Structures are given as structure tokens and as C-alpha cells.
Amino acid sequence: MSFRETREMLLLAYDSKIISDEEFLVLWESCRSKNPDFPYSSYARFDLENIHETECLAEFRVQKQDIPVLANVLQLPMNIRCPQRTICDRIKGLCMLLRRFSYPCRYSDMISRFGRPVPELCMITNEVMDNIFNNHSHRISQWNYNILNPHLLQEYADVIHAKGAPLENCFGFIDGTVRPIARPDQQQRIVYNGHKRVHSLKFQSIALPNGLIGNMYGPVEGKKHDASMLVDSNLLHELEQNAFSPTGEPM
């Protein structure tokens, strides 16, 4: 039951003398949402067809004609179902995720566009994100021959060398990325990064010259050193096994 439905039931129970004044006040306060009560029904219903091309690109960073294609490629289900029974079609759910990922954007900024409260926007966005991660995370967490095959590795290395890099077999650049988080209540020292002076999680990624992430490892605790993270990721072993040019030269 939603907060609104619960309050309606409380009013009915109070009017029927089922609960006392004190019980009504206590239950009414406990069933009040912390989020502002926006007039959601007054907002226009979201319809991708009614959004202008330039507006779509500005808000979602994707051409309007490409959003249905992206939903198919990502193999999203026809309907996104949240644990508390909220249902949303996949096009709208994908647009919520794209809007949320277009910096800067808060969930409250999305209310007028999608006509839903913040908790629903958050749950739907997380469901879409979890679905994409569960189905496609292996493309960057494991060695992906679609973007890391010998011919492409040689092409990456040629582009980097043409830009002035002295190495002729370097196909990408590796670095650890620190992502700040809120200070946890317990065990905060584990995630404290002394170099950046923030509580954080760390990721290790390989950036390719075409802008794609070739491989990613993480998250790990923020205090871990980049060299230690490199060993734990087993990336050096992956390079020894898979990173070769078409002629067999190690990359």
C-alpha cells in the first residue's frame, strides 16, 4: 500500500471510530512521506514521440531514433517491474536511466518530465541499471575479443604511435579511478583514500583511443594501491594470454 492509500484508510478508520485521536495522530505521522507531494497527475504523460529531436539529445544524450535500437541491443524486457510492483515500459525506463546519467541531474529534476515521485524514479532507474549490468558487465570485466582482437589492438597501437608515443605496441592506457562515497558508520578506514583524502571506492580501467573502456576491474576498497589492484585484477595474465598483434608480437 502506498502512503497515500494508507492515509486514506486511516481517515476512514478514524471517521468510523475504529481508532482514537491519539492513534490517528501517531499513525498519520508515521505514514507521511519525506518527499514533497508534487501534483504528479498534472504533468504531461511521457511520450518519446512528442519530444523534439534537439530536446531528446540535450536531455538523454542520444538521438531519438536510436533509443528504441538501444533498448533492443541492451535486451531490456518489455516492462520493467520493481519489487514494490511499480511497472514501467522499457523505453520510458531507459530514458529515465539516460536522463539520470546525463550530468548534472538529480531525481527531483526528473519529476516534471516523467510525472513520477522520486522513490519510483530511483527504483525504476536501478532496475534498468541492474538489468544492463547483469546481462552485459562481462563485456568490460572480461577480455572482450569484439574490441580487443589482434587486428583492433594493432589499429589502436598505430593510432597512439602516430600521435607521438615512443612505444609501437601500446594499445591503451591504464589507471585507477577514485570514486568518492559518503563516510560509512563502521570500518571507515578501509575505504579512506589518503592520497585523495576522501572515503571512496576504486576502479581500474583501460582506456582505448576510440574512447571505449577496454577492461574494468572493481570496485575495491579506497585504501588499496593501484599496483596492488593491478595484481588482484589478473590483468597482466590476461595480457600474456590474449594481447598479441596479427603477427604475434606482444602488445
Side-chain angles (χ1 to χ4, degrees):
M1 215 181 245
S2 66
F3 282 123
R4 186 186 300 275
E5 293 171 335
T6 303
R7 290 196 296 269
E8 291 175 353
M9 292 298 297
L10 286 175
L11 289 172
L12 180 62
Y14 179 71
D15 185 63
S16 302
K17 307 300 183 182
I18 298 176
I19 56 178
S20 64
D21 294 350
E22 293 78 7
E23 291 172 329
F24 174 76
L25 290 174
V26 171
L27 293 173
W28 183 268
E29 288 299 321
S30 64
C31 293
R32 177 177 295 179
S33 174
K34 297 180 181 180
N35 298 292
D37 192 13
F38 289 94
Y40 303 107
S41 59
S42 64
Y43 295 119
R45 190 177 184 86
F46 176 82
D47 186 357
L48 184 61
E49 295 299 324
N50 295 332
I51 300 178
H52 194 271
E53 289 282 356
T54 56
E55 192 176 11
C56 180
L57 185 60
E59 291 196 19
F60 307 134
R61 310 295 172 89
V62 178
Q63 297 284 354
K64 185 164 71 172
Q65 63 183 8
D66 293 334
I67 291 181
V69 178
L70 184 59
N72 290 329
V73 171
L74 293 175
Q75 302 173 353
L76 295 177
M78 296 305 298
N79 291 305
I80 307 299
R81 299 179 182 273
C82 299
Q84 45 69 271
R85 296 178 296 180
T86 293
I87 300 177
C88 175
D89 69 85
R90 67 175 184 169
I91 297 298
K92 185 182 296 185
L94 178 59
C95 289
M96 289 181 187
L97 181 67
L98 294 173
R99 181 70 181 98
R100 174 60 173 156
F101 279 179
S102 61
Y103 180 85
C105 177
R106 299 174 298 176
Y107 284 115
S108 58
D109 300 330
M110 300 163 56
I111 292 176
S112 59
R113 169 59 72 188
F114 297 100
R116 289 177 179 262
V118 167
E120 287 190 13
L121 293 171
C122 180
M123 285 185 287
I124 294 172
T125 301
N126 286 339
E127 283 293 320
V128 177
M129 184 166 50
D130 288 345
N131 184 280
I132 295 174
F133 179 83
N134 293 333
N135 292 329
H136 304 285
S137 61
H138 65 278
R139 301 181 187 276
I140 58 173
S141 62
Q142 301 175 18
W143 193 266
N144 186 354
Y145 279 96
N146 290 326
I147 59 174
L148 298 176
N149 60 65
H151 292 284
L152 287 177
L153 292 181
Q154 185 64 61
E155 184 177 336
Y156 301 151
D158 291 342
V159 170
I160 293 174
H161 181 64
K163 289 292 185 179
L167 295 176
E168 297 182 1
N169 63 341
C170 175
F171 68 86
F173 300 91
I174 183 172
D175 196 15
T177 301
V178 177
R179 306 297 297 176
I181 62 173
R183 176 180 175 177
D185 294 333
Q186 300 178 359
Q187 307 295 331
Q188 61 91 15
R189 291 184 179 272
I190 296 177
V191 295
Y192 183 74
N193 184 282
H195 175 61
K196 299 293 186 179
R197 300 181 183 276
V198 293
H199 295 85
S200 63
L201 299 175
K202 292 188 69 175
F203 295 84
Q204 172 188 278
S205 61
I206 298 177
L208 302 177
N210 59 3
L212 295 179
I213 294 177
N215 183 268
M216 176 170 283
Y217 172 74
V220 299
E221 59 273 23
K223 72 173 185 178
K224 186 175 285 291
H225 193 274
D226 284 3
S228 176
M229 186 164 52
L230 175 61
V231 174
D232 293 344
S233 68
N234 203 35
L235 178 61
L236 296 178
H237 177 72
E238 291 283 353
L239 292 173
E240 292 176 354
Q241 296 293 321
N242 303 299
F244 296 95
S245 69
T247 59
E249 296 295 326
M251 306 293 284

